[in-house]
Amino acid sequence: MSLKETLADFSTEVAFCAMFAHDRYLMPMSYEQNKANLLRYWSEAKGQLKRDAALIPAIDAQIEEMFAAFDSGDRKKGVDTAMALWNRNIKQME
């Protein structure tokens, strides 16, 4: 899969986090599946980033903050963090 495709899939998973948060998933999707997919796509993408490689630590921190918020029950903070991550326009990274 190309970097652009991987980043598009990652962006979609981030959007799912924001839309369905931690407790509003429609079956058959689940929070655990969304989280696993997001982490897999990000892991694949960050290994291919060149121009935007300096953003990796900040995005890693946002992902960690988002899932920590969801896991602790702070839906608003999790959604806000997901939206901030999605608003980075991650599909355009290289």
Side-chain angles (χ1 to χ4, degrees):
M1 186 178 312
S2 75
L3 176 59
K4 290 291 182 194
E5 292 169 322
T6 303
L7 288 171
D9 289 343
F10 174 64
S11 179
T12 299
E13 296 296 332
V14 171
F16 284 153
C17 281
M19 287 187 301
F20 300 116
H22 157 267
D23 57 352
R24 297 182 180 174
Y25 284 90
L26 307 172
M27 293 318 256
M29 180 183 274
S30 70
Y31 171 71
E32 292 78 19
Q33 180 184 9
N34 180 210
K35 182 177 181 178
N37 289 343
L38 184 148
L39 293 173
R40 179 172 46 93
Y41 291 132
W42 177 237
S43 178
E44 291 174 20
K46 71 182 180 179
Q48 299 176 51
L49 290 174
K50 302 291 185 247
R51 183 192 73 197
D52 296 314
L55 297 175
I56 291 171
I59 293 172
D60 283 342
Q62 276 185 290
I63 292 170
E64 186 176 320
E65 179 182 352
M66 175 182 66
F67 287 128
F70 286 139
D71 292 342
S72 72
D74 190 344
R75 184 179 193 284
K76 181 181 180 340
K77 182 176 181 179
V79 169
D80 289 348
T81 306
M83 290 305 301
L85 179 57
W86 189 82
N87 282 329
R88 283 181 172 270
N89 202 15
I90 48 184
K91 292 191 288 187
Q92 302 303 315
M93 294 172 63
E94 294 182 357

